Amino acid sequence: MYTVRLEHRNRQPIGPGCGRFHTVNERTPSSRTSRSGRSSRSSRESLSREERKEATRRAIVAAALRLLEERSFSALSLREVTREAGIVPAAFYRHFESMEALGLVLIDESFRALRDMLRGARAGKLDPTRIIESTVDILIAGVNERREHWRFIARERNSGVTVLRYAIRTEIRLITSELAIDLTRFPGLNTWSAEDLNILASLFVNSMISIAEAIEDAADANALEEIRHTAVKQLRLIIVGINGWHSTT
């Protein structure tokens, strides 16, 4: 009898214990699923916030460019930009520290096309049989695509806010230095002095900036074709000058 009662006591706690054990296990996956679901929703919401933030930033940049079509950057106010972008003035500072910071972003975007074009030319992406014509065509397409950016650069390059004028000159110097280094890879130029290479690079860069500004001012297709003709001849003259120049190190 003692043995039977002992076995009965041993079985008694095991049954409910097993039930509780299985019940806990059954709840565990759903708990993990719930946590995973919350995490996924949080990730989607976070991504959505980042997208909204970037959209607002782009709206501010676009609003500034529209307002700059007929005026200089120094005449532009923060309230005008935010009103044009459809946001409250306080929201501006979530994206830019100041109006000057916005101007620097505009400069960077404006010169990006020129940097990409020069790098593409140096990487051999242009037709080698008509490299000058291809360069001018790409420049025309780039200006037409970002006409408002080049209008901004043309106006601010020699006047306007000092910090922007300095930033534009810095961009031009950086592009010139980068081009001068890469020019040493061309036959005949690897023996040129660093000074002469920088002057040559400056001729190319300044010519293309002047051409871009002229393209932005073109009134019609005939005027654009005339600019293209002049630009091709101008770059060819620079190439001819290279062949006749003897650099001394």
Side-chain angles (χ1 to χ4, degrees):
M1 293 298 294
Y2 175 78
T3 304
V4 172
R5 283 197 300 270
L6 180 60
E7 289 175 355
H8 180 70
R9 284 198 204 108
N10 286 342
R11 287 196 303 270
Q12 195 75 16
I14 294 175
C18 287
R20 285 193 298 272
F21 177 78
H22 288 298
T23 302
V24 169
N25 282 346
E26 287 168 1
R27 284 199 303 268
T28 302
S30 67
S31 300
R32 282 196 293 263
T33 302
S34 176
R35 287 194 296 270
S36 176
R38 286 196 299 270
S39 176
S40 298
R41 284 194 301 272
S42 175
S43 177
R44 287 195 299 271
E45 290 169 0
S46 175
L47 180 61
S48 179
R49 283 195 296 271
E50 288 300 317
E51 290 173 344
R52 288 196 298 270
K53 183 177 180 181
E54 178 60 21
T56 302
R57 180 182 177 279
R58 296 306 312 164
I60 294 171
V61 171
L65 287 171
R66 286 194 298 271
L67 294 170
L68 287 168
E69 287 185 6
E70 302 296 336
R71 70 178 90 176
S72 66
F73 191 84
S74 60
L76 198 61
S77 72
L78 185 150
R79 288 188 176 276
E80 286 178 303
V81 173
T82 53
R83 184 167 58 247
E84 180 72 16
I87 62 173
V88 297
F92 177 90
Y93 294 104
R94 298 172 190 166
H95 307 275
F96 302 98
E97 294 181 357
S98 62
M99 284 293 291
E100 286 76 13
L102 171 60
L104 293 175
V105 169
L106 293 175
I107 290 170
D108 179 70
E109 292 190 357
S110 299
F111 276 96
R112 188 176 303 158
L114 182 59
R115 289 196 300 267
D116 291 344
M117 187 197 67
L118 289 171
R119 287 167 182 164
R122 295 195 299 272
K125 294 180 180 179
L126 299 179
D127 184 352
T129 62
R130 52 188 307 274
I131 189 167
I132 293 177
E133 292 84 351
S134 297
T135 298
V136 173
D137 288 341
I138 291 175
L139 184 58
I140 291 173
V143 172
N144 285 331
E145 183 179 349
R146 293 174 172 263
R147 188 172 291 272
E148 65 278 10
H149 288 82
W150 284 104
R151 186 180 298 117
F152 164 71
I153 289 297
R155 185 178 291 121
E156 301 299 324
R157 186 156 73 106
N158 297 311
S159 62
V161 180
T162 303
V163 66
L164 300 188
R165 190 167 63 249
Y166 177 79
I168 292 171
R169 292 174 183 174
T170 299
E171 285 280 357
I172 293 172
R173 283 198 299 270
L174 289 173
I175 292 174
T176 301
S177 297
E178 187 177 340
L179 178 59
I181 292 171
D182 283 343
L183 284 174
T184 58
R185 297 185 301 157
F186 288 87
L189 296 180
N190 54 355
T191 59
W192 279 35
S193 67
E195 180 186 8
D196 288 357
L197 285 170
N198 272 289
I199 292 173
L200 176 59
S202 179
L203 282 172
F204 279 121
V205 172
N206 285 315
S207 294
M208 283 186 285
I209 291 174
S210 297
I211 293 166
E213 291 175 351
I215 293 168
E216 195 279 319
D217 287 333
D220 51 40
N222 290 332
L224 185 61
E225 183 57 34
E226 181 62 28
I227 292 169
R228 182 185 184 280
H229 173 76
T230 303
V232 169
K233 182 178 288 188
Q234 183 176 348
L235 293 178
R236 280 178 177 164
L237 287 173
I238 295 175
I239 298 297
V240 171
I242 291 174
N243 294 327
W245 184 256
H246 300 286
S247 178
T248 57
T249 56

